[in-house]
Amino acid sequence: MQDGVFQSGADMGPVGSDHALNGTGDFDGNGSPDLIWRHRPSGTVGIWLMTGTTINSYTVLGAVSSDYKVRGTGDLNADGETDIIFRHTPSGEVGAWLMTGTIINSYARISSAGSDYVLSGVWDYDDDGKVDILWRHTSTGEVGAWTLDGTAVTGYARIDAVSSEYHLSKNGEPEDEEE
């Protein structure tokens, strides 16, 4: 990249204020985190496939409405592939692109949560080899997790509640529903 312009592979143009870094995941299986970018005006989602700090290529996955926000990545269906989790802000619907590398196999709806819940993390909280979804209730401070079997919610585990003056953070960024 030189002066904000991608120099090899597919040209995604400048990565400026109209692009948001939406997450990471190992989509090419090389052990290095790849970067998920979203072009805000068009909704185009793409991935820089990385080796360390070197961009190997850029792949455009597709476009989604600005109402959908990338909220995390993880292996939902235990196939060894990184999937991309979205939340539809107006409805609260949570769903995922089930992936094979950089190929979208399908979109799977997981469930919905009210607007007073913030999707705060994606991790395998119950150690079953499949990711689960961490939530925080914005007014009560309750923290809990949807336990998942693939894209099916199998339960909700309340963890605890903390004062609203405390916020969960992901990579040092405060929880919110913004990109």
Side-chain angles (χ1 to χ4, degrees), residues 36-106:
I36 303 169
W37 289 96
R38 181 161 184 191
H39 183 249
R40 287 185 182 114
S42 69
T44 300
V45 177
I47 298 175
W48 280 355
L49 297 174
M50 309 286 292
T51 300
T53 58
T54 301
I55 301 167
N56 297 323
S57 64
Y58 177 74
T59 300
V60 173
L61 300 179
V64 294
S65 158
S66 63
D67 289 338
Y68 285 89
K69 309 294 184 201
V70 174
R71 301 307 298 160
T73 61
D75 185 4
L76 282 164
N77 52 356
D79 65 354
E81 302 284 343
T82 302
D83 304 311
I84 302 174
I85 299 168
F86 291 89
R87 183 160 192 211
H88 185 253
T89 305
S91 71
E93 177 180 302
V94 177
W97 281 346
L98 300 177
M99 309 288 293
T100 300
T102 59
I103 305 298
I104 302 167
N105 293 320
S106 62

Side-chain angles (χ1 to χ4, degrees), residues 1 8 12 14 16 26 29 34 44 50 55 61 68-69 73-75 85 108 113 115 117 121 132 137 139 144 154 171:
M1 187 160 62
S8 63
M12 69 177 285
D26 186 9
D34 304 312
T44 300
M50 309 286 292
I55 301 167
L61 300 179
Y68 285 89
K69 309 294 184 201
T73 61
D75 185 4
I85 299 168
S115 61
Y117 283 90
D132 305 301
H137 191 278
S139 60
T154 59
N171 301 324

